[in-house]
């Protein structure tokens, strides 16, 4: 065919762009597949070259969107602009030259008319053999103005169907026992007593009470709002309500988060006023979601799935904002009939590293709909009047569909902060960032009334001077500690957080700068030296080391460098670096890697102003890792842009749910 030669020429040009680092290999390979499939389509309408090239461009932009963490390509102006951001669009305009709305002007100059481009792509996809509607079984799915690979469309549909099926349904552990709720509420009232606790209503109690009413429950809240105490109370209520001891699984996305969850639950249980037999029946060991599902050697394969469900009555997942779309799909697929799923997390934190923003999508209707009258009665029966709190939100409306009502009743947000006193710098700063108020953010950072928060501009000395002023003493204190175990205990005192890994302000460069200031050249061994913090990057179950675990390099008695870790039994483990899974220096870590952790002092390095990583969720997550002090490095203009910009994650899950 004549056009086949044209297709080969296009692919040669796109492959050249890959070699120059202007396009990703995955984007070009998807374009190749799309072009070949469409070129053979017998039902092509209109000019063949324009139709095929529109489909190829759609494939490229879809792949670029997936690389940015979206689950689909939004064919709106905003979505197309986001997909093309940080991409040399002149390359695409040069080789896909018949696409309407995308034109090369000359050299590296190009013009994009997004309204024309959007219409052309949608029209081509609607006439395509490669793409089909939601009910089709084609490789690409076009749903309104969103384009998916079929797999991700299927994931969103399966998640939404299962969550809506479970929301508002009586939990299986109740088992038609009319006395179960009475028993559960007795435990609930023994835990939550009105004795000068948080202001009315007590949302922790409301959340624990809701576990007796629905098989799907989300407990959202910022750091210090008592999510772990709530889940400990919830497990006690469920255990007290059940006729037989329920099988409860505690899990988290990473090994470090799982370890912290187990430790926090154990500490919370120790102070709960509940019978010993209930306390002893509650699990305190948590595991990663991968381990819970029985991950196989092949990626995406699990021992527990729809055909072989998990053997649990209740599955609890902490740090749910970190769970990506595929993992959430595998989790809900493996839920047994009647089992309850409880998600804990902060919807305002960064979304998962991989595709999707599942927790945020699930909570999307929370800003639109109020609790149903039935749920208000349930809360009142548990001793909490939430009517006044609902009215204060003002703008919320009553759900119009049963599915909306059931899902809204399944989401409880904890609002009272027990970690920061009300009006503290970190608390006020986090609130202002979350609500997108750049003026208030800058005022807080500049006010002498908030000594625990600061903004440091680059100035003449730049990042090197900033690190020397803020980090050098801490780093040298660690390196000169009296013992390795003492140095290990000092690690949470301070952490540098970066938005990106590479670049002048990325983790790799910052770690090198700090190490050069404190390491003597003669004391290094393969880049390791006494006092160097390290972070594990991959789970190793045989070594009981998990992604996010931190340790410190320290010489043993003969002087050989070892890496020390705090074990789950609080004993220090000394391991040879050669036995460790993948690891790297950890003076600085990414904000993503810090999720689930807390540090006394946090130094946050703002990404450059033109970075696509710059966004409100990144800043909020960094601020809320600090317990006592947060220092932000960057200009006021960059900070303002960071607060104003919300991180986009295009997805259709919220639409399917709400």
């Amino acid at each position: 065919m004549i056009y086949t030669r044209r297709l080969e020429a296009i692919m040669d040009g796109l492959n050249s762009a890959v070699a120059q680092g202007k396009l990703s290999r995955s984007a070009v390979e998807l374009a190749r597949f799309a072009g070949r499939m469409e070129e053979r389509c017998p039902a092509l309408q209109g000019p063949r070259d324009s139709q095929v090239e529109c489909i190829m461009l759609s494939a490229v932009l879809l792949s670029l969107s997936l690389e940015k963490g979206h689950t689909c390509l939004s064919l709106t102006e905003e979505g197309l602009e986001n997909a093309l951001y940080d991409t040399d669009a002149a390359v695409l305009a040069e080789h896909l030259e018949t696409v309407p709305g995308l034109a090369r002007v000359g050299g590296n100059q190009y013009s994009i008319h997004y309204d024309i481009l959007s219409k052309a792509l949608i029209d081509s996809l609607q006439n395509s053999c490669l793409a089909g509607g939601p009910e089709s079984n084609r490789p690409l799915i076009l749903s309104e103005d969103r384009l998916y690979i079929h797999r991700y469309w299927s994931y969103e549909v399966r998640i939404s169907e299962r969550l809506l099926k479970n929301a508002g349904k009586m939990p299986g552990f109740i088992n038609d026992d009319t006395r179960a709720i009475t028993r559960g509420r007795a435990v609930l009232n023994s835990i939550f007593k009105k004795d000068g606790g948080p202001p009315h209503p007590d949302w922790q109690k409301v959340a624990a009470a809701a576990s007796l009413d629905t098989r799907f429950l989300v407990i959202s809240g910022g750091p210090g709002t008592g999510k772990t105490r709530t889940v400990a109370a919830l497990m006690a209520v469920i255990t007290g309500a059940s006729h037989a001891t329920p099988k409860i699984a505690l899990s988290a996305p990473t090994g470090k988060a799982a370890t912290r969850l187990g430790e926090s639950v154990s500490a919370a249980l120790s102070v709960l006023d509940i019978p010993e037999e209930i306390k002893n029946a509650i699990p305190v060991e948590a595991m990663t979601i991968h381990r819970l599902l029985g991950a196989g050697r092949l990626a995406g394969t699990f021992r527990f799935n729809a055909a072989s469900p998990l053997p649990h009555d209740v599955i609890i997942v902490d740090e749910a904002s970190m769970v990506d779309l595929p993992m959430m799909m595998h989790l809900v697929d493996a839920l047994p009939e009647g089992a309850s799923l409880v998600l804990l997390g902060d919807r305002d934190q960064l979304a998962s590293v991989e595709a999707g923003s599942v927790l945020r999508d699930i909570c999307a209707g929370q800003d639109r709909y109020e609790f149903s009258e039935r749920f208000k009665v349930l809360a009142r029966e548990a001793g909490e009047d939430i009517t006044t709190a609902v009215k204060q939100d003002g703008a919320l409306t009553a759900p119009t569909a049963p599915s909306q009502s059931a899902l809204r009743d399944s989401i409880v947000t904890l609002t009272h902060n027990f970690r920061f006193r009300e009006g503290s710098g970190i608390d006020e700063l986090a609130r202002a960032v979350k609500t997108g108020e750049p003026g208030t953010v800058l005022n807080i950072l500049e006010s002498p009334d908030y000594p625990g928060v600061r903004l440091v501009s680059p100035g003449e000395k730049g990042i090197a001077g900033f690190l020397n002023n803020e980090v050098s003493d801490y780093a040298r204190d660690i390196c000169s500690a009296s013992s390795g175990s003492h140095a290990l205990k000092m690690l949470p005192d301070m952490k540098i957080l970066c938005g990106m890994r590479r670049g002048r302000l990325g983790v790799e460069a910052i770690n090198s700068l700090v190490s050069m200031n404190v390491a003597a050249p003669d004391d290094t061994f393969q880049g390791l030296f006494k006092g160097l913090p390290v972070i594990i990057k991959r789970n190793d179950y045989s070594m009981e080391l998990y992604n996010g675990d931190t340790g410190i390099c320290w010489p043993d008695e003969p002087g050989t460098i070892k890496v020390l870790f705090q074990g789950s039994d609080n004993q220090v483990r000394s391991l040879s670096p050669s036995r460790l899974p993948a690891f790297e220096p950890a003076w600085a870590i990414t904000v993503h890697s810090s999720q689930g952790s807390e540090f006394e002092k946090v130094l946050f390095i703002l990404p450059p102003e033109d970075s696509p990583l710059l966004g409100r969720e990144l800043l909020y997550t960094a601020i809320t890792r600090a317990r006592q002090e947060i220092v932000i490095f960057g200009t006021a203009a960059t900070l303002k842009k960071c607060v104003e910009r919300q991180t986009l994650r295009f997805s259709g899950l919220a639409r399917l749910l709400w």
Side-chain angles (χ1 to χ4, degrees):
M1 285 184 176
I2 294 175
Y3 191 75
T4 300
R5 290 195 294 273
R6 168 75 183 136
L7 190 60
E8 290 173 353
I10 291 173
M11 290 311 305
D12 286 344
L14 295 182
N15 282 325
S16 175
V18 172
Q20 297 171 43
K22 295 180 178 179
L23 279 177
S24 67
R25 170 59 61 190
S26 59
V28 172
E29 287 304 316
L30 188 57
R32 180 198 300 274
F33 169 74
R36 287 181 173 174
M37 289 284 290
E38 197 63 22
E39 197 269 341
R40 292 170 172 78
C41 179
L44 276 182
Q45 299 179 13
R48 178 176 291 271
D49 52 354
S50 179
Q51 169 77 15
V52 174
E53 289 179 25
C54 280
I55 298 300
M56 292 180 72
L57 178 60
S58 297
V60 169
L61 298 182
L62 174 56
S63 182
L64 295 175
S65 290
L66 298 181
E67 291 170 16
K68 291 178 169 72
H70 309 295
T71 64
C72 59
L73 167 65
S74 172
L75 293 161
T76 61
E77 178 174 341
E78 187 178 33
L80 294 174
E81 189 174 8
N82 185 275
L84 285 165
Y85 186 89
D86 206 27
T87 298
D88 191 346
V91 172
L92 299 173
E94 177 183 359
H95 299 294
L96 302 171
E97 58 191 36
T98 66
V99 175
L102 177 65
R104 187 182 182 200
V105 177
N108 289 326
Q109 301 300 310
Y110 58 91
S111 67
I112 303 176
H113 296 280
Y114 285 105
D115 53 342
I116 298 173
L117 178 60
S118 173
K119 185 178 186 305
L121 296 185
I122 291 175
D123 288 347
S124 296
L125 289 163
Q126 287 174 337
N127 296 319
S128 168
C129 292
L130 186 68
E135 304 304 320
S136 71
N137 196 30
R138 294 188 180 179
L140 302 182
I141 297 296
L142 181 64
S143 174
E144 299 178 19
D145 56 3
R146 302 185 308 280
L147 180 66
Y148 292 84
I149 59 172
H150 190 281
R151 179 162 52 99
Y152 278 8
W153 167 254
S154 172
Y155 287 173
E156 288 191 353
V157 170
R158 287 154 72 180
I159 290 172
S160 63
E161 288 178 346
R162 189 59 190 272
L163 297 187
L164 290 174
K165 178 183 176 182
N166 280 11
K169 299 295 190 303
M170 189 63 70
F173 60 80
I174 298 293
N175 199 25
D176 295 327
D177 184 350
T178 56
R179 296 167 298 179
I181 294 178
T182 301
R183 293 196 299 267
R185 284 184 180 160
V187 177
L188 184 74
N189 291 326
S190 72
I191 296 172
F192 297 97
K193 300 181 176 70
K194 287 292 181 184
D195 53 357
H200 196 78
D202 187 340
W203 289 108
Q204 291 189 21
K205 187 176 184 181
V206 172
S211 67
L212 299 173
D213 185 64
T214 180
R215 294 178 192 171
F216 176 59
L217 179 62
V218 176
I219 303 174
S220 180
T225 53
K227 293 189 294 291
T228 307
R229 178 178 184 266
T230 305
V231 83
L234 176 148
M235 288 192 291
V237 168
I238 290 172
T239 303
S242 304
H243 180 70
T245 302
K247 294 180 179 178
I248 302 175
L250 288 173
S251 64
T254 67
K256 183 174 184 179
T259 300
R260 283 180 54 85
L261 174 62
E263 292 171 349
S264 299
V265 166
S266 180
L269 284 174
S270 67
V271 296
L272 288 187
D273 183 13
I274 54 176
E276 285 299 316
E277 60 269 20
I278 292 179
K279 192 175 292 187
N280 294 334
I282 295 173
V284 293
E285 183 177 347
M287 65 187 81
T288 63
I289 301 173
H290 280 84
R291 196 169 193 179
L292 172 69
L293 294 176
R297 292 189 176 183
L298 294 176
T301 61
F302 298 93
R303 175 188 172 193
F304 297 107
N305 47 52
S308 178
L310 288 160
H312 296 94
D313 302 300
V314 181
I315 293 94
I316 296 170
V317 181
D318 194 18
E319 298 292 348
S321 63
M322 300 170 67
V323 182
D324 57 45
L325 182 77
M327 183 52 64
M328 185 61 75
M329 192 283 302
H330 290 301
L331 181 64
V332 300
D333 249 14
L335 282 177
E337 191 65 33
S340 294
L341 175 64
V342 180
L343 303 181
L344 307 175
D346 184 349
R347 71 167 192 165
D348 296 306
Q349 278 191 191
L350 277 170
S352 56
V353 176
E354 303 300 330
S357 53
V358 179
L359 184 64
R360 200 179 306 165
D361 287 342
I362 291 171
C363 295
Q366 184 181 13
D367 297 329
R368 283 182 280 168
Y369 303 117
E370 64 175 329
F371 290 115
S372 69
E373 291 303 319
R374 190 192 66 83
F375 190 82
K376 294 173 191 175
V377 171
L378 180 145
R380 200 174 301 121
E381 290 174 348
E384 298 299 323
D385 184 1
I386 64 173
T387 306
T388 304
V390 170
K391 285 181 178 177
Q392 287 174 348
D393 290 329
L396 302 182
T397 60
T400 55
S403 61
Q404 292 173 346
S405 181
L407 188 56
R408 178 61 190 95
D409 291 349
S410 298
I411 303 170
V412 178
T413 300
L414 309 180
T415 56
H416 184 75
N417 198 306
F418 296 89
R419 181 182 305 168
F420 309 121
R421 63 175 175 80
E422 190 168 344
S424 71
I426 294 175
D427 184 43
E428 292 296 314
L429 189 62
R431 288 173 188 270
V433 168
K434 187 165 64 172
T435 52
E437 302 173 46
T440 304
V441 167
L442 288 170
N443 288 339
I444 292 170
L445 289 166
E446 294 168 358
S447 171
D449 296 333
Y450 303 111
V453 297
R454 286 186 286 139
L455 174 66
V456 177
S457 295
E460 294 181 3
K461 295 183 179 179
I463 186 65
F466 172 73
L467 294 175
N468 185 57
N469 289 339
E470 301 287 344
V471 185
S472 291
D473 289 345
Y474 163 76
R476 292 192 182 99
D477 286 346
I478 284 183
C479 293
S480 60
S482 58
S483 66
S485 58
H486 181 218
L488 198 58
K489 291 177 181 177
M490 294 169 65
L491 286 183
D493 290 350
M494 181 187 292
K495 187 62 66 180
I496 308 166
L497 301 183
C498 303
M500 51 193 184
R501 293 190 54 77
R502 296 181 177 85
R504 184 178 61 87
L505 300 177
V507 163
E508 294 174 359
I510 300 299
N511 276 319
S512 294
L513 281 172
V514 177
S515 290
M516 282 191 298
N517 284 338
V518 295
D522 296 339
D523 292 337
T524 61
F525 173 72
Q526 296 181 348
L528 306 180
F529 56 89
K530 177 184 176 183
L532 175 69
V534 298
I535 183 170
I536 299 296
K537 303 302 293 180
R538 182 171 53 81
N539 293 336
D540 187 329
Y541 295 106
S542 64
M543 295 294 295
E544 295 186 357
L545 290 173
Y546 308 105
N547 182 19
D549 283 352
T550 53
I552 195 161
C553 297
W554 205 263
D556 61 11
E557 204 165 296
T560 304
I561 287 289
K562 302 289 186 182
V563 184
L564 309 184
F565 294 91
Q566 192 81 42
S568 56
D569 56 359
N570 288 324
Q571 297 298 310
V572 175
R573 303 168 63 203
S574 176
L575 301 171
S576 169
S578 62
R579 297 182 61 198
L580 303 183
F583 67 94
E584 61 186 33
W587 300 111
I589 61 176
T590 63
V591 178
H592 268 109
S593 296
S594 75
Q595 287 180 277
S597 299
E598 299 171 6
F599 309 98
E600 293 303 307
K601 179 178 179 179
V602 166
L603 310 177
F604 175 49
I605 314 295
L606 277 168
E609 192 170 345
D610 61 350
S611 170
L613 294 170
L614 201 70
R616 188 182 304 170
E617 293 79 6
L618 183 79
L619 179 58
Y620 172 81
T621 304
I623 291 169
T624 54
R625 299 311 93 203
R627 294 182 64 90
Q628 298 294 332
E629 185 177 2
I630 172 74
V631 183
I632 301 170
F633 175 82
T635 65
T638 303
L639 181 65
K640 180 176 182 290
K641 188 171 183 179
C642 190
V643 177
E644 290 173 338
R645 182 196 291 174
Q646 281 193 286
T647 305
L648 287 174
R649 278 287 173 97
F650 291 108
S651 155
L653 182 58
R655 289 195 199 183
L656 290 169
L657 287 167
W658 294 100

